[in-house]
Amino acid sequence: MATAPREPTAGGAASPDRPEIVCICGSTQFMDEMRAVNRDLTFAGVIVVAPGEADEMITDKQKTALDALHLRKIDLADRVLVVNVNLRLGSPPTGPRRHPPRGPWSA
C-alpha cells in the first residue's frame, strides 16, 4: 500500500533524507478505514497527517478551524491519499475542493 521515499520534486517532496509525507483525506464516516491506512503507512515508514478527530459534537467554529487546518496539512504533503469506501462521490459538506496540493493525488 505505501510507497518508498521518492526523489525530490519542485515542492520539496520526500528525499532519501526525509520520508514521504502523505495526507489522508476522506469523509469522517470512514474514520475506521482512515485509521487502518494511517497505521499501514506509518509502519511502512511514511509520515502521515490525517483529519483531526473529536469524541463529541463540535461547534461550527471548531469545524471551520479544523477544515482550515486540514487544508494546511494537504499543503505540507507530498501526496494526498483519499480514503473512499464504495466509491461515494460528491462535494464535501463545506463545498467543492479549494485547491489541489502540489503533489500527486492517490485514490
Side-chain angles (χ1 to χ4, degrees), residues 11-83:
S15 71
D17 297 329
R18 179 180 65 76
E20 178 183 34
I21 299 173
V22 172
C23 183
I24 296 174
C25 293
S27 171
T28 55
Q29 67 185 332
F30 304 135
M31 288 308 294
D32 289 340
E33 292 82 359
M34 286 192 269
R35 282 187 210 102
V37 169
N38 188 332
R39 181 194 61 238
D40 292 346
L41 289 171
T42 298
F43 281 114
V46 174
I47 296 170
V48 179
V49 290
E53 295 186 58
D55 293 333
E56 66 282 336
M57 293 295 293
I58 62 173
T59 66
D60 288 341
K61 184 176 180 179
Q62 290 170 319
K63 170 79 169 104
T64 299
L66 288 174
D67 287 346
L69 181 61
H70 192 69
L71 290 174
R72 296 304 309 227
K73 291 177 182 181
I74 291 170
D75 290 339
L76 291 172
D78 300 317
R79 180 169 55 106
V80 170
L81 192 146
V82 178
V83 176

Side-chain angles (χ1 to χ4, degrees), residues 75-98:
D75 290 339
L76 291 172
D78 300 317
R79 180 169 55 106
V80 170
L81 192 146
V82 178
V83 176
N84 189 356
V85 178
N86 297 324
L87 297 174
R88 298 176 71 97
L89 301 175
S91 294
T94 56
R97 300 274 183 246
R98 181 173 66 111

